[in-house]
Amino acid sequence: MITQETILDFMREPAYKPLTYDELVIQFALEDRTDLQALQQLLLALEEDGRIVLNGNAAYGVPERMDLLRGRLQVHAKGFAFLIPDDREHPDVYINANDLKSAMNGDIVLARVTSRSPSGGRMEGEINRIVRRGVLQTVGVFQSLETYGFVLPDDKRINRDIFIPKGSFKGAVDGEKVVVRIVNYPEGAAAAEGEIIEILGHKDDPGVDILSVIRKHQLPEAFPEEVMAEAEKAPDSITEEEIIEQGRRDLRGLNIVTIDGADAKDLDDAVNVERLENGHYKLGVHIADVGYYVPESSALDKEAYDRGCSVYLVDRVIPMLPHRLSNGICSLNPQVDRLTMSCEMEFDEDMKVVKHDVFSSVIRTKERMTYANVRKIVEDEDPELLERYSPLIEDFRLMKELAMKLRGARMKRGAVDFDFEESKIIVDENGKAVDIVKRERSVAEQIIEEFMLAANETVAEHFHWLKVPFLYRIHEDPDPEKLQNFMAFAANFGYHVKGRGNSVHPRALQDLLEQIQGTKEQTVISTMMLRSMKQAKYDAESTGHFGLAAEFYSHFTSPIRRYPDLVIHRVMREVIMGGGTLSEKRQEYLATRMPEIAQQSSERERVAVEAERDTEQLKKAEFMQDKVGEEFDAMISSVTSFGMFIELDNTVEGLIRLGALSDDYYHFDEAHMALIGERTSRVFRIGDEVKIRVANVNMDDHTIDFELVDMKPRSAGERRGGGRPGGGGSAKPFGGKAGGSNGRGGKGKPGAAAGSVGKGIGGGKGRAAAGAGAAEGRPGAPAAPSARSKRKRKGVAGEEASRPAAAPQGQAGVARSGDSGAPKGRGGNRDRGFDKYGAFRSGVSFAFGSGKGGYGGASTTPEDSADAAAKAVDGNTKFRSREDRGPAAASIEPSSLGAEGKRKRKKPKGGVFINPSVTPGNVETTNPNSFRPGDTGASSPEGKPRRKRKKKPTI
């Protein structure tokens, strides 16, 4: 019987050439009418899904053999996009805003590569065909214009408003947050058309902000009735018959405890430690056997698969499983019997696992401990707690001893341990942010982190050698080009990383992290290092974990909150009950299912992280809303071509725009991440302490603007470079012209850092898609009349979009995909056993794209943009014919020619070099356009024409 895979494998053969339907019939020797119809249906389905292409000769072939790529589109708020190919080995492809052809974020598309860089690493392309739409509905603010209306999407990656005809208002009024279903997608100049399907309430009503995020990411809330019905059937307790029937090992006599945050209710992991007679340590990690209560293919299982993981928003948790299970029979509550999956490990003095066992068990935890109490016992030796938990005190001290030795061994082998500050947002009964406090990562959190990591590694290796289908957590080696860029970046601060390209061992990176501990540049170097790495993800094959320096790694310890953990629990129990093997049929079935589960789980993890970050960002903005005008001590966390990101002590971050630096004109030195005044030589660098004032909080975009308290205005009458008084541009944009005197933005060429506040963005006069085209130095694509044209945009072209990757986010540990070699403490309902490499823990904004082809690393987040340190592509980047498009495109462009067709002579570019030892005030500017005493040319303050020098006669 012919299947889709049979056809695809045949068409991928090197000798294959496109064949018509009749030729394929002959090739497969089909004669039966049923087989002919089946082949026709298979070809039709494959073509509709974009997995094969029908050419002009009615012949079929796979896209990659017909100069096309199939993949998912990742659109940036500035309008450009990246194609993330299905082929994981293929580099990402940059798509200009004008080449999207109405494609939207998340669409599955076919694209054609139109140009390549000389090295072949970076590619530019255009959309050929939209295979499947990724956005079916979205959330936004409704704006009524009587006979029609618009929805202004919250998702900035949808850069056109959605037209709503009068008949589709469904009772919505101006200013309400609504959910809109897209009926007709944009085509050419026509805007997308939609209908309102849900009214969430006025945008300023309490709770609507979080609800909007939930709807934006289409997160499920209430469980379906059939799921709840299955959950209700779960027992409240276990019986002795169950224990005996399943042959579970009885561990109820051991000193097993749970250690969690004070407000945690779903206690799914417990531990115990003892010292053996031979001096070795015996560690037991016991995880709730959730898979026993969630049978495969049940309604509960299907719902858990669809959700992928629990989502931890600022004011609520959207669980993967109903509370009946997660807080009931699956929670390892104290002094009650619970079914578990256990991993026992024996460690020698070098922290090597010399013996281990994985088995099903039954436990009864002695105490429900909190991180705070364990810390007080092992660190502060609190007398009250020492008396209260006297039978367990030696166990806790032994846990600390073992955990610290495990951590030391992990660091010694080369694990990279990022230590970003996390914070927790406190909200009142109405969901309003009232405080932001830093999370503490104490020794108690580290104990659990180390124990969970050890169990995850041991389980992964155990089942790898059993050669059964399994799910692994992998972290691939960094992209050589991005790693080299990071090494060059670190060198600018005086730090040397041993190694070259992909041969860099993670130990060398950990050495660097230890060197920068406590320095001003610690945050930015750590963040840029993290962005140079790829994202951790789930996979059916074990390829190792770079960040943990581990050959085998899995997620075994959180089956209540992560679907992969739940899946491998079922496999583990099945293998254990089957004597260490699976039937051939079962082996084949699981082998086909695991890649699909891995991909789904990774995608759902990204969605969860996006939602978590969105809620943190909006609540931080809400917290600062009533603090406009107040002054704070802060630190420069990142420097960009359009300003500086400033981080307060509570991890709130805001932007000081370049135009707000009114005492001078500043140039951006990308290599050293610094801004340098061209007249005063004042330097702003990462890590500098500054005094700021909260200037503005934008609750629509959830952004915060700061201004320097000591900033003085420029001298009266001062102007630069022959610019007319009253010119719109506050500073000359890099790569783009400054705004004119009419208040409009400049031409909006890529790299424009400080045009003027004008009509629309970068020259786009209020068009719905003006920003998209302007970002590339071209007019915005025509669009239907839009309500967005009436919205005032604050800031300058290139400044108002979401924060670029060059600037580290200061948002606090909301994310889950961000796996750290050492997982962060939950502080309540946080995940453990997570590695943060390449994901979103600590609110780190990851670079845009998937990390292939020299572009930034992928992110689920709409805020992500290109990695500036890695010189990736963002909205301020234009592909230049020579450097980026290769020799084939190196022809002279018309814009470089004069009226007679002669090549224009390029003016020399000014630049500033900063030595790592530079401090504010001791730098000389080397910009040739900066004013020098005695100058009388166009760059002089008087604006008089420069006198031309006479050439000496040739003798």
Side-chain angles (χ1 to χ4, degrees):
M1 179 181 177
I2 297 178
T3 64
Q4 289 188 356
E5 291 304 319
T6 305
I7 296 174
L8 291 173
D9 290 342
F10 173 63
M11 292 184 178
R12 287 174 182 144
E13 291 179 1
Y16 178 81
K17 66 175 185 177
L19 299 177
T20 65
Y21 168 75
D22 293 334
E23 291 170 333
L24 287 171
V25 169
I26 296 172
Q27 183 66 37
F28 289 115
L30 301 178
E31 297 180 356
D32 186 75
R33 183 176 180 180
T34 304
D35 292 339
L36 295 175
Q37 291 178 344
L39 176 63
Q40 192 173 24
Q41 292 299 320
L42 287 172
L43 292 173
L44 181 62
L46 287 170
E47 185 192 359
E48 288 180 351
D49 198 37
R51 298 171 73 187
I52 63 173
V53 178
L54 184 65
N55 66 17
N57 296 323
Y60 294 94
V62 288
E64 56 267 31
R65 299 286 296 278
M66 303 179 79
D67 198 28
L68 292 172
L69 276 175
R70 184 184 186 275
R72 178 177 54 83
L73 199 65
Q74 194 177 75
V75 178
H76 188 270
K78 293 182 180 180
F80 66 89
F82 284 99
L83 176 74
I84 312 300
D86 292 344
D87 181 2
R88 298 179 183 178
E89 302 302 319
H90 196 285
D92 297 347
V93 180
Y94 172 82
I95 309 291
N96 187 284
N98 293 331
D99 295 324
L100 286 174
K101 298 180 181 177
S102 82
M104 300 171 68
N105 183 66
D107 288 353
I108 302 299
V109 299
L110 291 176
R112 175 173 283 107
V113 175
T114 56
S115 61
R116 302 171 187 263
S117 64
S119 64
R122 296 186 179 183
M123 302 181 183
E124 186 174 3
E126 62 182 11
I127 301 300
N128 177 269
R129 173 191 154 203
I130 299 170
V131 175
R132 185 168 62 250
R133 289 290 184 177
V135 177
L136 304 179
Q137 66 183 51
T138 190
V139 177
V141 177
F142 178 68
Q143 192 170 64
S144 175
L145 299 174
E146 296 185 4
T147 57
Y148 61 92
F150 283 92
V151 170
L152 283 53
D154 289 351
D155 189 344
K156 303 306 176 188
R157 295 170 297 184
I158 303 176
N159 51 27
R160 293 190 186 185
D161 302 332
I162 300 172
F163 174 77
I164 309 294
K166 180 74 173 178
S168 299
F169 284 12
K170 303 295 174 69
V173 298
D174 197 75
E176 286 187 322
K177 275 287 180 79
V178 298
V179 181
V180 57
R181 183 173 65 86
I182 299 178
V183 178
N184 294 312
Y185 289 86
E187 290 293 340
E193 181 181 335
E195 64 175 1
I196 293 172
I197 59 175
E198 185 180 2
I199 300 172
L200 304 180
H202 192 274
K203 63 179 182 178
D204 296 328
D205 289 347
V208 171
D209 51 1
I210 299 292
L211 188 58
S212 298
V213 173
I214 292 172
R215 293 293 188 272
K216 170 186 172 182
H217 297 285
Q218 300 182 39
L219 300 176
E221 289 187 284
F223 288 94
E225 291 183 5
E226 61 272 18
V227 173
M228 293 303 298
E230 285 190 5
E232 289 299 324
K233 293 178 182 178
D236 294 320
S237 60
I238 62 175
T239 64
E240 290 295 327
E241 289 74 15
E242 284 182 286
I243 299 171
I244 297 172
E245 181 183 344
Q246 298 172 39
R248 291 181 179 267
R249 195 175 303 180
D250 193 342
L251 305 179
R252 287 175 286 187
L254 300 179
N255 285 347
I256 299 175
V257 297
T258 59
I259 305 177
D260 291 271
D263 54 350
K265 295 180 175 62
D266 51 348
L267 315 177
D268 56 1
D269 54 78
V271 296
N272 74 292
V273 175
E274 60 180 291
R275 193 187 296 275
L276 302 178
E277 293 181 359
N278 60 4
H280 291 180
Y281 298 89
K282 184 178 181 182
L283 168 65
V285 176
H286 317 280
I287 310 299
D289 191 358
V290 182
Y292 176 73
Y293 300 100
V294 183
E296 187 175 4
S297 300
S298 63
L300 275 167
D301 181 52
K302 292 175 181 176
E303 183 70 13
Y305 171 82
D306 290 338
R307 296 186 176 220
C309 59
S310 296
V311 184
Y312 295 87
L313 305 181
V314 168
D315 64 344
R316 71 194 73 182
V317 177
I318 300 177
M320 185 182 77
L321 295 171
H323 290 307
R324 167 74 178 172
L325 292 175
S326 61
N327 296 356
I329 192 66
C330 294
S331 184
L332 306 181
N333 300 325
Q335 304 298 330
V336 293
D337 294 348
R338 289 291 184 260
L339 302 182
T340 51
M341 298 298 296
S342 296
C343 176
E344 288 187 343
M345 297 152 280
E346 181 180 331
F347 296 93
D348 64 12
E349 58 278 2
D350 296 322
M351 294 299 102
K352 300 290 186 183
V353 179
V354 295
K355 187 186 298 183
H356 76 276
D357 197 5
V358 181
F359 54 92
S360 59
S361 58
V362 56
I363 68 169
R364 181 184 298 160
T365 58
K366 301 294 184 184
E367 291 287 350
R368 186 261 196 254
M369 301 299 298
T370 64
Y371 292 128
N373 283 348
V374 172
R375 178 185 59 78
K376 291 176 182 178
I377 290 172
V378 299
E379 292 285 306
D380 304 337
E381 296 193 356
D382 186 291
E384 181 182 346
L385 294 176
L386 290 176
E387 182 179 353
R388 178 180 173 184
Y389 298 110
S390 56
L392 298 171
I393 298 303
E394 289 305 316
D395 293 78
F396 293 136
R397 289 172 178 163
L398 192 60
M399 287 180 187
K400 177 186 174 182
E401 180 182 324
L402 174 59
M404 294 304 101
K405 288 186 175 182
L406 285 172
R407 175 177 170 77
R410 188 163 58 83
M411 294 298 101
K412 185 177 180 181
R413 80 183 183 194
V416 184
D417 186 24
F418 294 100
D419 190 15
F420 293 104
E421 286 188 337
E422 296 185 337
S423 65
K424 181 179 181 181
I425 300 175
I426 310 298
V427 297
D428 61 17
E429 62 277 3
N430 295 319
K432 184 177 180 180
V434 295
D435 197 9
I436 300 176
V437 296
K438 288 186 178 180
R439 290 185 185 272
E440 181 183 8
R441 186 188 179 196
S442 70
V443 65
E445 281 88 353
Q446 292 184 42
I447 287 172
I448 293 301
E449 291 169 4
E450 296 302 328
F451 291 176
M452 298 303 114
L453 286 168
N456 284 336
E457 289 186 44
T458 302
V459 167
E461 183 171 6
H462 179 87
F463 285 89
H464 171 79
W465 294 116
L466 287 179
K467 300 190 182 302
V468 296
F470 212 63
L471 282 178
Y472 300 93
R473 183 71 170 177
I474 68 168
H475 183 216
E476 298 166 301
D477 290 349
D479 178 84
E481 183 179 354
K482 294 191 71 179
L483 198 54
Q484 287 283 8
N485 288 331
F486 166 73
M487 292 165 66
F489 176 77
N492 288 324
F493 291 87
Y495 297 102
H496 177 67
V497 181
K498 295 180 180 179
R500 181 177 298 173
N502 226 16
S503 64
V504 173
H505 191 274
R507 174 70 241 178
L509 300 179
Q510 179 59 31
D511 287 343
L512 175 59
L513 291 177
E514 292 171 2
Q515 291 179 51
I516 64 176
Q517 188 72 30
T519 63
K520 294 195 302 182
E521 57 268 17
Q522 177 182 357
T523 299
V524 69
I525 291 182
S526 298
T527 303
M528 300 312 293
M529 181 190 296
L530 190 59
R531 291 181 187 144
S532 72
M533 298 180 181
K534 294 184 179 179
Q535 286 183 298
K537 60 184 178 181
Y538 297 105
D539 203 288
E541 300 294 330
S542 177
T543 58
H545 198 293
F546 177 83
L548 290 173
E551 188 175 357
F552 307 98
Y553 194 69
S554 65
H555 274 173
F556 152 73
T557 54
S558 296
I560 288 178
R561 294 184 293 275
R562 297 187 301 233
Y563 190 72
D565 304 50
L566 175 60
V567 168
I568 68 173
H569 270 231
R570 284 200 291 251
V571 174
M572 290 167 62
R573 191 175 61 257
E574 197 172 342
V575 170
I576 291 168
M577 296 181 67
T581 59
L582 295 172
S583 67
E584 184 177 345
K585 184 177 180 180
R586 183 64 175 164
Q587 184 103 359
E588 290 178 1
Y589 171 76
L590 289 175
T592 58
R593 280 282 292 158
M594 289 303 176
E596 178 187 339
I597 294 172
Q599 181 177 353
Q600 162 73 1
S601 299
S602 296
E603 290 175 357
R604 294 307 303 170
E605 182 183 48
R606 305 291 180 255
V607 172
V609 170
E610 281 191 38
E612 290 171 348
R613 177 179 293 176
D614 283 354
T615 57
E616 280 228 347
Q617 189 174 353
L618 74 87
K619 287 302 177 185
K620 284 186 175 181
E622 181 183 71
F623 177 72
M624 299 299 293
Q625 197 172 13
D626 61 356
K627 295 169 180 58
V628 173
E630 294 185 22
E631 297 179 1
F632 297 90
D633 291 320
M635 183 187 73
I636 299 175
S637 59
S638 185
V639 180
T640 73
S641 61
F642 53 81
M644 304 180 293
F645 283 97
I646 310 297
E647 183 175 338
L648 305 185
D649 187 57
N650 61 4
T651 72
V652 169
E653 206 165 33
L655 173 68
I656 296 180
R657 302 174 187 274
L658 200 63
L661 301 178
S662 57
D663 67 334
D664 201 349
Y665 297 102
Y666 286 82
H667 294 270
F668 174 52
D669 187 309
E670 183 178 358
H672 298 87
M673 299 289 283
L675 288 174
I676 308 171
E678 89 174 26
R679 178 175 56 83
T680 63
S681 295
R682 186 177 183 181
V683 178
F684 292 105
R685 295 188 64 175
I686 291 170
D688 289 349
E689 295 180 356
V690 292
K691 184 90 170 179
I692 62 94
R693 183 184 299 112
V694 181
N696 180 56
V697 176
N698 186 332
M699 287 307 297
D700 289 331
D701 295 332
H702 309 140
T703 56
I704 304 168
D705 286 336
F706 294 150
E707 59 187 12
L708 290 176
V709 172
D710 64 348
M711 186 56 57
K712 298 177 181 179
R714 301 183 184 94
S715 302
E718 180 184 348
R719 51 199 168 96
R720 3 177 0 206
R724 295 177 304 213
S730 60
K732 183 178 180 180
F734 297 104
K737 295 186 179 180
S741 60
N742 60 0
R744 297 182 185 178
K747 289 186 178 180
K749 290 185 179 180
S756 64
V757 180
K759 302 175 183 177
I761 305 172
K765 299 180 182 178
R767 302 186 192 105
E776 299 303 327
R778 308 173 197 173
S786 168
R788 193 182 294 276
S789 62
K790 298 190 177 183
R791 288 202 311 198
K792 291 184 179 180
R793 295 278 191 151
K794 296 186 179 181
V796 186
E799 293 186 11
E800 67 197 67
S802 59
R803 174 179 179 178
Q809 296 279 10
Q811 300 178 7
V814 291
R816 169 166 302 75
S817 55
D819 298 337
S820 81
K824 298 294 182 188
R826 282 187 279 186
N829 289 320
R830 310 306 301 170
D831 280 349
R832 299 180 294 186
F834 263 61
D835 37 84
K836 66 177 150 239
Y837 301 96
F840 308 93
R841 174 78 69 190
S842 305
V844 176
S845 175
F846 283 79
F848 202 67
S850 71
K852 297 174 290 183
Y855 301 117
S859 163
T860 87
T861 64
E863 294 82 1
D864 294 350
S865 52
D867 187 341
K871 294 181 172 54
V873 175
D874 64 7
N876 298 326
T877 303
K878 185 179 179 66
F879 279 84
R880 295 166 294 184
S881 60
R882 289 178 180 80
E883 290 89 344
D884 295 310
R885 291 184 179 172
S891 58
I892 299 173
E893 296 190 11
S895 60
S896 67
L897 301 178
E900 284 91 32
K902 297 179 180 180
R903 182 187 297 277
K904 292 180 181 178
R905 186 175 182 179
K906 293 187 178 179
K907 296 179 180 180
K909 294 184 179 179
V912 179
F913 170 79
I914 305 180
N915 188 280
S917 63
V918 160
T919 56
N922 70 353
V923 176
E924 293 289 338
T925 178
T926 60
N927 186 352
N929 294 325
S930 63
F931 173 68
R932 295 183 295 274
D935 281 355
T936 58
S939 61
S940 67
E942 293 79 17
K944 296 178 181 179
R946 186 185 298 275
R947 183 178 300 170
K948 295 183 179 180
R949 294 183 179 180
K950 293 182 179 180
K951 294 184 178 180
K952 294 182 178 180
T954 305
I955 298 176

